[in-house]
Amino acid sequence: MKQLLYIVLCFPMLLAAQIEPVTQDSTAVEYILVDGDSIPKTAIDLDEVLLLHKLKFTSKEDRITYLILKRKTLKVYPYAKLAADRLTTLNERLLTLESKRSQKKYAKIIQRYIEDEFSAELKKLTRTEGQILVKLIHRQTGKTTFGLIKELRSGWRAFWFNTTASMFDISLKEEFNPMDVKEDFLIEDILERAFQNRLLERQKPAISFDFYDLTDKWLRNKATVETKN
């Protein structure tokens, strides 16, 4: 798993109105103050929550497969989120550094920090966990692991790491494609349930897809989910 460890290690309101509570008939009412005028606010701001579907498995084997995929996904998602966080931090910081020497020095500092913090855990990943991690890195960054290595290092190094990974049945060019790949849809389903249950910290994906569109498609294809009654 050295090639996966490498790429993860390399990553290193405006307020338009003031809201104040106003007591009225012993009931707290919120008013929006705009240019000296008070406008009562009766709506409640809520975070968007997706309505999930009830899982249904056609066989014991399908259920076991889903549970194994769930365990692996919950295990590797934090590393994919870390990769996206570090990539964002790295890119933002590099924009403030003028010389290539300073940029390389900063990148090495980030690499050493992540290596000390997570290298032992990453080395324990299995091949299937590694492949899921590659997919989730694409979900979180919008770029394949191969592309990130090529961008941060060189095309030859990216080719070499991909060739090495392929010996272990891992493709660093793998993309997260829940619209066309059933396993990827199930991974997204697992993630959404984990987000809502607060098992994982939600991070907006860098690629575009609609969860309801995914569900509608796989329901029509008799996937392993059905709507709640």
Side-chain angles (χ1 to χ4, degrees), residues 4-35:
L4 293 175
L5 175 62
Y6 170 83
I7 185 58
V8 176
L9 297 184
C10 281
F11 292 152
M13 187 156 355
L14 177 64
L15 293 179
Q18 179 181 0
I19 301 176
E20 297 180 354
V22 178
T23 302
Q24 184 181 48
D25 298 332
S26 300
T27 302
V29 179
E30 284 189 346
Y31 284 79
I32 302 177
L33 304 181
V34 182
D35 294 333

Side-chain angles (χ1 to χ4, degrees), residues 59-136:
S59 66
K60 180 180 179 180
E61 289 73 19
D62 285 344
R63 178 180 178 81
I64 293 175
T65 298
Y66 181 87
L67 292 177
I68 292 175
L69 183 63
K70 178 181 178 180
R71 175 176 58 81
K72 294 178 182 295
T73 299
L74 296 183
K75 178 179 179 180
V76 304
Y77 172 81
Y79 299 117
K81 181 181 180 301
L82 172 67
D85 289 339
R86 288 295 177 263
L87 179 63
T88 299
T89 301
L90 178 62
N91 288 336
E92 290 178 350
R93 177 58 176 162
L94 291 180
L95 291 176
T96 67
L97 302 175
E98 297 181 358
S99 67
K100 290 186 178 181
R101 181 178 181 181
S102 298
Q103 294 174 353
K104 290 182 179 179
K105 183 177 180 179
Y106 177 74
K108 287 183 179 180
I109 293 175
I110 293 295
Q111 179 177 338
R112 285 196 297 267
Y113 170 78
I114 302 301
E115 183 175 4
D116 293 341
E117 193 75 15
F118 297 104
S119 60
E121 288 79 4
L122 289 172
K123 290 177 181 178
K124 297 177 183 178
L125 296 184
T126 65
R127 282 178 287 181
T128 53
E129 290 169 350
Q131 191 66 80
I132 293 173
L133 175 57
V134 167
K135 290 184 177 184
L136 290 182

Side-chain angles (χ1 to χ4, degrees), residues 15 35 56 76 151 168 187 213:
L15 293 179
D35 294 333
K56 182 178 180 180
V76 304
E151 177 181 317
F168 299 95
I187 289 175
D213 289 342

Side-chain angles (χ1 to χ4, degrees), residues 196-208:
Q196 293 195 21
N197 292 328
R198 298 185 178 180
L199 297 177
L200 295 175
E201 182 180 353
R202 184 186 295 275
Q203 185 185 60
K204 185 178 179 180
I207 59 176
S208 300

